[in-house]
Amino acid sequence: MVIKSAEFVISNSRVEKCPTTGLPEYAFIGRSNVGKSSLINMLTARKGLAMTSQKPGKTQLINHFIINDAWYLVDLPGYGYARLGKDSRDSLRRMIEDYVLERKELVLLFVLLDCRHEPQKIDLEFIQWLGEEGVPFALVFTKADKLSKGRLAANVEAYKAKLHEEWEELPPIFVTSSEERMGRDELLGYIEEINTTL
């Protein structure tokens, strides 16, 4: 897929205020500081499209970007950001749950995981919840350039093994590096493949 255009459309905190064009949506979510904004900028080849920050918890709204006037890329708030107060965490959780469960245009949720870390309880619980709710999703490992190829492969296999404890069949898995543009063609190709079947 060639990205000819990528434009910011709207930020909001309520699913009912999301765009009403009926175009398919692919949403990106992950723990705070997983590299979500960098990945979005890499995929769209637009350096400042999504706001990147050294401080986790930057994204606190549902952000819609229109791609090629054909589909939306949706940047969701990160989950599990401990430095937010309980009320803020609860409101973010409700925002995420409302979007994921109620948004009819959502075709697929990309769940981002930092490949440098062992399977985290919060990620596993979120993945389990998606499965229980029947939400289609794929897993995207980020920051692959930070590890040797051998360590990267071992970490991804360890994650798969952990998931196989609960799941018979695993979702699609992608390995990416925003720095090296790794995984870009695979991710965009997967979205294009799905779009042709809709």
Short mmCIF file of all heavy atoms in Angstrom, two decimals, residues 132-173:
data_model
loop_
_atom_site.label_atom_id
_atom_site.label_comp_id
_atom_site.label_asym_id
_atom_site.label_seq_id
_atom_site.Cartn_x
_atom_site.Cartn_y
_atom_site.Cartn_z
N GLU A 132 -12.22 -12.45 25.07
CA GLU A 132 -13.53 -12.73 25.70
C GLU A 132 -14.64 -11.90 25.05
O GLU A 132 -15.78 -12.35 24.95
CB GLU A 132 -13.45 -12.42 27.20
CG GLU A 132 -12.63 -13.44 27.97
CD GLU A 132 -12.28 -12.98 29.38
OE1 GLU A 132 -12.71 -11.88 29.77
OE2 GLU A 132 -11.60 -13.74 30.10
N GLU A 133 -14.30 -10.69 24.61
CA GLU A 133 -15.29 -9.80 24.00
C GLU A 133 -15.43 -10.01 22.49
O GLU A 133 -16.26 -9.38 21.85
CB GLU A 133 -14.93 -8.33 24.27
CG GLU A 133 -14.98 -7.94 25.75
CD GLU A 133 -16.38 -7.95 26.32
OE1 GLU A 133 -17.35 -7.95 25.53
OE2 GLU A 133 -16.52 -7.96 27.57
N GLY A 134 -14.58 -10.88 21.94
CA GLY A 134 -14.66 -11.17 20.51
C GLY A 134 -14.19 -10.03 19.62
O GLY A 134 -14.67 -9.85 18.50
N VAL A 135 -13.22 -9.24 20.11
CA VAL A 135 -12.70 -8.11 19.34
C VAL A 135 -11.54 -8.59 18.45
O VAL A 135 -10.57 -9.15 18.96
CB VAL A 135 -12.19 -6.99 20.27
CG1 VAL A 135 -11.60 -5.84 19.47
CG2 VAL A 135 -13.31 -6.50 21.19
N PRO A 136 -11.61 -8.40 17.13
CA PRO A 136 -10.51 -8.81 16.26
C PRO A 136 -9.26 -7.97 16.55
O PRO A 136 -9.35 -6.75 16.63
CB PRO A 136 -11.03 -8.53 14.84
CG PRO A 136 -12.49 -8.25 14.98
CD PRO A 136 -12.71 -7.77 16.38
N PHE A 137 -8.13 -8.61 16.69
CA PHE A 137 -6.90 -7.86 16.97
C PHE A 137 -5.69 -8.57 16.41
O PHE A 137 -5.73 -9.75 16.06
CB PHE A 137 -6.74 -7.64 18.49
CG PHE A 137 -6.44 -8.88 19.29
CD1 PHE A 137 -5.13 -9.20 19.63
CD2 PHE A 137 -7.46 -9.73 19.69
CE1 PHE A 137 -4.84 -10.35 20.36
CE2 PHE A 137 -7.18 -10.86 20.43
CZ PHE A 137 -5.88 -11.18 20.76
N ALA A 138 -4.60 -7.83 16.32
CA ALA A 138 -3.29 -8.37 15.94
C ALA A 138 -2.28 -7.82 16.93
O ALA A 138 -2.51 -6.79 17.57
CB ALA A 138 -2.93 -7.95 14.52
N LEU A 139 -1.16 -8.52 17.08
CA LEU A 139 -0.11 -8.08 17.98
C LEU A 139 1.05 -7.47 17.19
O LEU A 139 1.45 -8.02 16.15
CB LEU A 139 0.41 -9.25 18.82
CG LEU A 139 -0.63 -9.96 19.71
CD1 LEU A 139 0.03 -11.11 20.45
CD2 LEU A 139 -1.26 -8.98 20.69
N VAL A 140 1.54 -6.35 17.68
CA VAL A 140 2.65 -5.65 17.00
C VAL A 140 3.77 -5.44 18.01
O VAL A 140 3.63 -4.67 18.96
CB VAL A 140 2.19 -4.29 16.44
CG1 VAL A 140 3.37 -3.59 15.74
CG2 VAL A 140 1.02 -4.45 15.48
N PHE A 141 4.87 -6.13 17.81
CA PHE A 141 6.04 -5.92 18.67
C PHE A 141 6.80 -4.70 18.15
O PHE A 141 7.07 -4.58 16.96
CB PHE A 141 6.95 -7.15 18.65
CG PHE A 141 6.39 -8.30 19.44
CD1 PHE A 141 5.63 -9.28 18.81
CD2 PHE A 141 6.58 -8.39 20.81
CE1 PHE A 141 5.10 -10.34 19.53
CE2 PHE A 141 6.04 -9.44 21.54
CZ PHE A 141 5.30 -10.42 20.90
N THR A 142 7.13 -3.79 19.06
CA THR A 142 7.81 -2.55 18.70
C THR A 142 9.27 -2.57 19.16
O THR A 142 9.66 -3.42 19.96
CB THR A 142 7.11 -1.34 19.33
OG1 THR A 142 7.16 -1.47 20.76
CG2 THR A 142 5.65 -1.25 18.89
N LYS A 143 10.04 -1.62 18.66
CA LYS A 143 11.43 -1.37 19.10
C LYS A 143 12.35 -2.56 18.84
O LYS A 143 13.26 -2.85 19.62
CB LYS A 143 11.45 -0.97 20.59
CG LYS A 143 10.52 0.22 20.89
CD LYS A 143 10.64 0.72 22.31
CE LYS A 143 9.66 1.86 22.57
NZ LYS A 143 9.78 2.48 23.87
N ALA A 144 12.12 -3.24 17.70
CA ALA A 144 12.92 -4.42 17.37
C ALA A 144 14.40 -4.09 17.17
O ALA A 144 15.27 -4.95 17.33
CB ALA A 144 12.36 -5.10 16.12
N ASP A 145 14.70 -2.83 16.82
CA ASP A 145 16.09 -2.44 16.60
C ASP A 145 16.89 -2.39 17.90
O ASP A 145 18.11 -2.29 17.87
CB ASP A 145 16.14 -1.07 15.93
CG ASP A 145 15.40 0.00 16.73
OD1 ASP A 145 14.16 -0.06 16.82
OD2 ASP A 145 16.07 0.90 17.29
N LYS A 146 16.21 -2.46 19.04
CA LYS A 146 16.90 -2.36 20.34
C LYS A 146 17.49 -3.70 20.79
O LYS A 146 18.19 -3.76 21.80
CB LYS A 146 15.94 -1.87 21.42
CG LYS A 146 15.18 -0.59 21.08
CD LYS A 146 16.09 0.61 20.98
CE LYS A 146 15.28 1.88 20.79
NZ LYS A 146 16.09 3.00 20.34
N LEU A 147 17.20 -4.78 20.05
CA LEU A 147 17.68 -6.10 20.45
C LEU A 147 18.44 -6.76 19.31
O LEU A 147 18.23 -6.44 18.14
CB LEU A 147 16.49 -7.00 20.82
CG LEU A 147 15.66 -6.65 22.05
CD1 LEU A 147 14.48 -7.60 22.17
CD2 LEU A 147 16.50 -6.70 23.31
N SER A 148 19.31 -7.73 19.67
CA SER A 148 19.93 -8.56 18.64
C SER A 148 18.85 -9.45 18.02
O SER A 148 17.80 -9.68 18.62
CB SER A 148 21.02 -9.43 19.26
OG SER A 148 20.43 -10.39 20.14
N LYS A 149 19.11 -9.95 16.82
CA LYS A 149 18.12 -10.79 16.14
C LYS A 149 17.79 -12.03 16.96
O LYS A 149 16.63 -12.45 17.04
CB LYS A 149 18.64 -11.21 14.75
CG LYS A 149 18.54 -10.08 13.73
CD LYS A 149 18.94 -10.55 12.35
CE LYS A 149 18.81 -9.41 11.34
NZ LYS A 149 19.30 -9.79 10.01
N GLY A 150 18.82 -12.61 17.59
CA GLY A 150 18.59 -13.81 18.39
C GLY A 150 17.72 -13.54 19.61
O GLY A 150 16.80 -14.30 19.91
N ARG A 151 18.02 -12.44 20.29
CA ARG A 151 17.24 -12.09 21.49
C ARG A 151 15.81 -11.71 21.11
O ARG A 151 14.86 -12.06 21.81
CB ARG A 151 17.94 -10.93 22.21
CG ARG A 151 17.29 -10.54 23.53
CD ARG A 151 17.41 -11.68 24.54
NE ARG A 151 16.50 -11.49 25.65
CZ ARG A 151 16.78 -10.76 26.73
NH1 ARG A 151 17.96 -10.16 26.84
NH2 ARG A 151 15.90 -10.66 27.70
N LEU A 152 15.68 -11.00 19.99
CA LEU A 152 14.36 -10.62 19.50
C LEU A 152 13.51 -11.86 19.24
O LEU A 152 12.36 -11.97 19.70
CB LEU A 152 14.50 -9.79 18.23
CG LEU A 152 13.21 -9.44 17.49
CD1 LEU A 152 12.31 -8.56 18.34
CD2 LEU A 152 13.54 -8.75 16.16
N ALA A 153 14.08 -12.81 18.50
CA ALA A 153 13.35 -14.05 18.17
C ALA A 153 12.97 -14.80 19.44
O ALA A 153 11.84 -15.30 19.57
CB ALA A 153 14.20 -14.93 17.26
N ALA A 154 13.89 -14.84 20.40
CA ALA A 154 13.62 -15.56 21.66
C ALA A 154 12.49 -14.89 22.45
O ALA A 154 11.62 -15.57 23.00
CB ALA A 154 14.90 -15.62 22.51
N ASN A 155 12.50 -13.57 22.49
CA ASN A 155 11.45 -12.84 23.23
C ASN A 155 10.08 -13.03 22.59
O ASN A 155 9.07 -13.20 23.29
CB ASN A 155 11.80 -11.35 23.30
CG ASN A 155 12.85 -11.06 24.36
OD1 ASN A 155 13.51 -11.96 24.87
ND2 ASN A 155 13.03 -9.79 24.67
N VAL A 156 10.03 -12.98 21.26
CA VAL A 156 8.75 -13.16 20.56
C VAL A 156 8.24 -14.59 20.78
O VAL A 156 7.05 -14.80 21.04
CB VAL A 156 8.90 -12.85 19.05
CG1 VAL A 156 7.63 -13.24 18.29
CG2 VAL A 156 9.20 -11.37 18.85
N GLU A 157 9.14 -15.57 20.72
CA GLU A 157 8.74 -16.97 20.96
C GLU A 157 8.25 -17.17 22.39
O GLU A 157 7.30 -17.91 22.63
CB GLU A 157 9.90 -17.92 20.65
CG GLU A 157 10.18 -18.11 19.17
CD GLU A 157 8.94 -18.52 18.37
OE1 GLU A 157 8.21 -19.43 18.82
OE2 GLU A 157 8.70 -17.92 17.31
N ALA A 158 8.90 -16.49 23.35
CA ALA A 158 8.47 -16.59 24.74
C ALA A 158 7.06 -16.03 24.90
O ALA A 158 6.24 -16.58 25.65
CB ALA A 158 9.45 -15.83 25.64
N TYR A 159 6.79 -14.95 24.21
CA TYR A 159 5.44 -14.35 24.26
C TYR A 159 4.42 -15.30 23.66
O TYR A 159 3.33 -15.50 24.22
CB TYR A 159 5.43 -13.02 23.52
CG TYR A 159 4.70 -11.94 24.27
CD1 TYR A 159 5.39 -10.87 24.81
CD2 TYR A 159 3.32 -12.00 24.46
CE1 TYR A 159 4.73 -9.87 25.52
CE2 TYR A 159 2.66 -11.02 25.16
CZ TYR A 159 3.36 -9.95 25.69
OH TYR A 159 2.71 -8.99 26.39
N LYS A 160 4.77 -15.91 22.53
CA LYS A 160 3.85 -16.85 21.89
C LYS A 160 3.56 -18.02 22.82
O LYS A 160 2.41 -18.47 22.94
CB LYS A 160 4.46 -17.38 20.58
CG LYS A 160 4.47 -16.38 19.45
CD LYS A 160 5.06 -17.06 18.21
CE LYS A 160 5.16 -16.12 17.04
NZ LYS A 160 5.81 -16.76 15.88
N ALA A 161 4.61 -18.53 23.46
CA ALA A 161 4.44 -19.66 24.38
C ALA A 161 3.50 -19.28 25.53
O ALA A 161 2.64 -20.08 25.94
CB ALA A 161 5.80 -20.11 24.92
N LYS A 162 3.65 -18.08 26.05
CA LYS A 162 2.79 -17.61 27.13
C LYS A 162 1.34 -17.52 26.66
O LYS A 162 0.42 -17.93 27.36
CB LYS A 162 3.29 -16.23 27.61
CG LYS A 162 2.57 -15.71 28.85
CD LYS A 162 2.90 -16.54 30.08
CE LYS A 162 2.20 -16.03 31.31
NZ LYS A 162 2.35 -16.92 32.47
N LEU A 163 1.14 -16.99 25.47
CA LEU A 163 -0.22 -16.87 24.93
C LEU A 163 -0.85 -18.24 24.67
O LEU A 163 -2.05 -18.42 24.87
CB LEU A 163 -0.20 -16.05 23.64
CG LEU A 163 0.08 -14.55 23.80
CD1 LEU A 163 0.26 -13.90 22.43
CD2 LEU A 163 -1.05 -13.85 24.55
N HIS A 164 -0.02 -19.18 24.23
CA HIS A 164 -0.54 -20.53 23.95
C HIS A 164 -1.06 -21.23 25.20
O HIS A 164 -1.79 -22.21 25.10
CB HIS A 164 0.54 -21.39 23.28
CG HIS A 164 0.52 -21.31 21.79
ND1 HIS A 164 -0.61 -21.56 21.03
CD2 HIS A 164 1.49 -21.00 20.90
CE1 HIS A 164 -0.34 -21.42 19.75
NE2 HIS A 164 0.93 -21.06 19.64
N GLU A 165 -0.72 -20.72 26.38
CA GLU A 165 -1.28 -21.29 27.61
C GLU A 165 -2.79 -21.06 27.68
O GLU A 165 -3.51 -21.82 28.31
CB GLU A 165 -0.60 -20.66 28.83
CG GLU A 165 0.87 -21.03 28.99
CD GLU A 165 1.53 -20.27 30.13
OE1 GLU A 165 0.80 -19.66 30.94
OE2 GLU A 165 2.77 -20.29 30.22
N GLU A 166 -3.25 -19.97 27.04
CA GLU A 166 -4.68 -19.64 27.06
C GLU A 166 -5.34 -19.75 25.69
O GLU A 166 -6.54 -19.95 25.60
CB GLU A 166 -4.86 -18.19 27.56
CG GLU A 166 -4.35 -17.94 28.97
CD GLU A 166 -5.30 -18.47 30.03
OE1 GLU A 166 -6.49 -18.70 29.71
OE2 GLU A 166 -4.85 -18.68 31.17
N TRP A 167 -4.55 -19.59 24.64
CA TRP A 167 -5.11 -19.51 23.29
C TRP A 167 -4.69 -20.71 22.46
O TRP A 167 -3.51 -21.04 22.40
CB TRP A 167 -4.61 -18.24 22.59
CG TRP A 167 -5.03 -16.96 23.25
CD1 TRP A 167 -4.56 -16.46 24.43
CD2 TRP A 167 -6.00 -16.04 22.78
NE1 TRP A 167 -5.18 -15.26 24.72
CE2 TRP A 167 -6.07 -14.97 23.74
CE3 TRP A 167 -6.82 -15.97 21.65
CZ2 TRP A 167 -6.92 -13.89 23.58
CZ3 TRP A 167 -7.66 -14.88 21.50
CH2 TRP A 167 -7.72 -13.86 22.45
N GLU A 168 -5.66 -21.31 21.77
CA GLU A 168 -5.31 -22.39 20.84
C GLU A 168 -4.69 -21.82 19.57
O GLU A 168 -3.72 -22.35 19.04
CB GLU A 168 -6.58 -23.19 20.47
CG GLU A 168 -7.05 -24.14 21.56
CD GLU A 168 -8.25 -24.94 21.11
OE1 GLU A 168 -8.41 -25.14 19.89
OE2 GLU A 168 -9.01 -25.37 21.98
N GLU A 169 -5.30 -20.73 19.09
CA GLU A 169 -4.83 -20.11 17.87
C GLU A 169 -4.40 -18.68 18.18
O GLU A 169 -5.14 -17.95 18.84
CB GLU A 169 -5.97 -20.09 16.85
CG GLU A 169 -5.54 -19.76 15.45
CD GLU A 169 -6.71 -19.82 14.46
OE1 GLU A 169 -7.66 -20.57 14.71
OE2 GLU A 169 -6.65 -19.07 13.47
N LEU A 170 -3.23 -18.30 17.70
CA LEU A 170 -2.73 -16.96 17.99
C LEU A 170 -3.18 -15.97 16.92
O LEU A 170 -3.39 -16.34 15.76
CB LEU A 170 -1.21 -16.96 18.06
CG LEU A 170 -0.58 -17.82 19.17
CD1 LEU A 170 0.93 -17.62 19.19
CD2 LEU A 170 -1.16 -17.47 20.53
N PRO A 171 -3.32 -14.70 17.30
CA PRO A 171 -3.66 -13.67 16.31
C PRO A 171 -2.46 -13.41 15.40
O PRO A 171 -1.35 -13.88 15.68
CB PRO A 171 -3.96 -12.44 17.19
CG PRO A 171 -3.13 -12.65 18.41
CD PRO A 171 -3.13 -14.13 18.65
N PRO A 172 -2.65 -12.64 14.33
CA PRO A 172 -1.50 -12.25 13.50
C PRO A 172 -0.48 -11.48 14.35
O PRO A 172 -0.85 -10.74 15.26
CB PRO A 172 -2.12 -11.32 12.44
CG PRO A 172 -3.56 -11.69 12.41
CD PRO A 172 -3.91 -12.12 13.80
N ILE A 173 0.81 -11.72 14.05
CA ILE A 173 1.88 -11.08 14.83
C ILE A 173 2.84 -10.37 13.88
O ILE A 173 3.27 -10.94 12.87
CB ILE A 173 2.63 -12.13 15.68
CG1 ILE A 173 1.70 -12.66 16.78
CG2 ILE A 173 3.90 -11.55 16.29
CD1 ILE A 173 2.28 -13.80 17.59
#
